[in-house]
Structure formats: structure tokens, C-alpha cells
Amino acid sequence: MSSKLRILVPVKRVIDYAVKPRVRSDRTGVETSGVKHSLNPFDELSIEEAVRLRERKQPVEEILAVSAGPAKCADTLRTAMAMGADRSIHVDVPEDKPLEPLSVAKLLKAIAEKEQSNLIILGKQAIDDDAGQTGQMLAGLLNWPQATQASKVDIKDNQVTVTREVDGGIETIRAKLPIIITTDLRLNEPRYASLPNIMKAKKKKLDKKSLADYGVDVKPRLKTIKVEEPPVRQGGGKVEDVDGLIGKLKELGAI
Ligand code: AMP
């Protein structure tokens, strides 16, 4: 008998992928105020995959989106619900004290246990900190199998088959529910939230919680020493023709 799928999808509010981040003057991080934020692109893939599992008539009981961050995460969660999540939980975390991946993993463990989730789909990385750690740490804390960087997911009779693109080709792995999956770019193409669905999402349930509600230790263990802009790119020279190029390469000792 197939278990009902209780899918948890953690979604992070990050600086929009099209914005060029600027380092703050005190060099402790990047400027976030007044900057456009969006749902982390990898998390869009996770929501889309959860919705497609339901559309493929998998026994999806619930798709729950969760975000830990400042008040504006509510917008991120509304987007996730407009894409098809059933309800969401916003865990309030001050903007100037974002959680480290280990703390997010501990929080997600507490939420998954409380909500009796049996499938957690995270992004392979958040495009702001590029940590790529949360899913792996969560799998460790829960002692669940993990299939990272999924490009295809199939579920049949509690067996989850995940295809992953690896250096030498394509790897297919199988494990039983409950499982952690992290999503990679080729998994699917996330849908746009349609206007009617945006309207419907306004009526879906969004619970506001505090870190204290889950009683997890979120004490930071990392200290950012400094954040720097990448070195300014040196402009290249121009050559007139192929002979000029060959001459230049010889001059530089490259050939
Ligand atoms: P990271 O390990 O920070 O690169 O993030 C990997 C994934 O963990 C993201 O794609 C999200 O699915 C999840 N995640 C990280 N931080 C948060 C957060 N503050 N709230 C909800 N989900 C998060």
C-alpha cells in the first residue's frame, strides 16, 4: 500500500537572481534593504515538483511550504501557494540575524516531525549564501536517506527513484520514504502563478510562528570575517586581424 505523501517544501526569500548584489560598506554582508527579493529559483523547482506529483495522481495528502526569515517571507509563501502549495508556515526570524544552514536544518527537523512529513523537497542551494548544506544536514539530523540534485523523481509503492546528473553521466538511485530530495535545474520548468491562483492563494492558510515555538538552538556557529567584491576585471586588448592575434599571442609568450 502506498503511503500518503505529506510533502514539506522549505522556500527561502533571497535577493532576486537578476539583481547585482552590492557589498555593504561595513563589509559584513551584502546590501538587502531596498533590493528586490524573490523565491529562491531552486525552491520554485521544489514546489513545481510537489505539484506535479499530485498532478501525476500520486497520493499527495498535503504540500506544506515553510520559510524562515523576516515578515516579507509571507510574500514568498503566497507565491509558493499560488504555484500550488496547500498551506504555509512562516517562522519569524529578524532580517539582520539570518539563520545558518545548520539552524535552518534543526528548525526544519522540528517542523517535519510536528507535521509528520515523509517527503522533504529542498533546493540544492540558496542563491544568496550558495551554502548548499541545508538538505544534507537535515537528512543527517532526521537520519533519512537523501537524494541530492535530482533531475527526475518517480514514486511507486513507497519507493522513490531519483535520477541525478553526475560528472560521468546519469545516476539513478532508489530509497524508501521518508526521504530528502534536493532539486537541480533540469528537474522541471516551474509554472508562473496565474492571476486566479494568486487570488486563491490569498485565502490559503499561512501560520505565523516564532523560533521559540519550535524550541531549537539557533545559536550561530560561524562568524563572517569579511565580504568583498570580486576583483575588477581588467579590460582586454583589441587586435585588427588574425595576424595581429598571432603576433599578440607570440608577444605574450602564449604560443
Ligand atoms: P542552502 O543550504 O542555504 O544553500 O539552502 C538550501 C535549501 O534549503 C534552500 O533551497 C531551501 O530549500 C532551504 N532553506 C535554506 N534556508 C532557508 C530558510 N531560511 N527558510 C526556508 N528554507 C530554507
Side-chain angles (χ1 to χ4, degrees):
M1 241 259 306
S2 298
S3 305
K4 295 246 189 266
L5 294 172
R6 295 185 55 82
I7 312 178
L8 180 66
V9 186
V11 296
K12 190 174 187 188
R13 176 180 177 266
V14 295
I15 293 182
D16 187 86
Y17 75 95
V19 172
K20 186 175 180 295
R22 280 187 204 291
V23 173
R24 268 203 308 261
S25 53
D26 63 3
R27 302 211 290 172
T28 58
V30 295
E31 195 54 72
T32 52
S33 61
V35 175
K36 184 179 177 205
H37 282 67
S38 306
L39 172 56
N40 180 39
F42 288 102
D43 304 345
E44 288 184 355
L45 295 158
S46 313
I47 295 282
E48 177 66 32
E49 196 60 22
V51 175
R52 287 190 189 191
L53 285 171
R54 173 175 277 155
E55 289 172 348
R56 293 207 303 264
K57 306 278 180 266
Q58 296 285 345
V60 175
E61 188 172 277
E62 179 174 68
I63 303 170
L64 169 61
V66 174
S67 194
K72 291 217 172 95
C73 285
D75 300 343
T76 314
L77 289 166
R78 290 279 173 216
T79 306
M81 291 192 288
M83 287 176 69
D86 300 314
R87 66 178 175 105
S88 49
I89 297 177
H90 170 213
V91 183
D92 195 35
V93 174
E95 181 138 34
D96 57 346
K97 291 199 186 76
L99 299 182
E100 292 175 1
L102 178 60
S103 302
V104 178
K106 287 180 186 168
L107 174 66
L108 293 174
K109 173 178 189 270
I111 296 174
E113 284 171 348
K114 181 152 191 292
E115 301 293 339
Q116 296 180 323
S117 314
N118 55 5
L119 172 61
I120 309 181
I121 313 180
L122 304 93
K124 77 164 178 181
Q125 76 195 69
I127 63 162
D128 53 358
D129 58 18
D130 278 344
Q133 299 173 8
T134 310
Q136 291 87 331
M137 288 184 180
L138 179 58
L141 292 174
L142 283 166
N143 199 20
W144 290 8
Q146 58 178 314
T148 54
Q149 290 162 238
S151 56
K152 188 163 183 272
V153 175
D154 263 323
I155 304 181
K156 200 165 176 247
D157 301 332
N158 298 341
Q159 295 274 4
V160 184
T161 308
V162 174
T163 304
R164 322 173 54 234
E165 284 173 24
V166 291
D167 259 1
I170 291 174
E171 180 184 62
T172 304
I173 53 176
R174 182 171 295 156
K176 275 207 183 115
L177 290 171
I179 188 173
I180 307 276
I181 294 175
T182 71
T183 56
D184 211 339
L185 280 178
R186 264 189 276 263
L187 179 61
N188 58 47
E189 265 187 49
R191 69 198 63 196
Y192 287 105
S194 66
L195 191 58
N197 286 342
I198 292 172
M199 301 312 285
K200 268 192 231 154
K202 288 188 201 287
K203 296 207 182 86
K204 291 185 177 176
K205 199 164 158 227
L206 195 165
D207 282 324
K208 197 168 165 190
K209 299 278 186 189
S210 68
L211 284 167
D213 290 330
Y214 294 102
V216 287
D217 163 23
V218 294
K219 204 167 69 250
R221 284 164 163 74
L222 301 171
K223 183 168 164 36
T224 304
I225 310 294
K226 64 176 174 189
V227 175
E228 292 176 288
E229 299 270 0
V232 180
R233 205 167 160 260
Q234 303 294 327
K238 271 195 179 165
V239 289
E240 288 301 321
D241 49 23
V242 175
D243 287 343
L245 174 65
I246 292 172
K248 190 79 189 163
L249 289 173
K250 280 191 179 150
E251 191 186 307
L252 294 169
I255 53 171

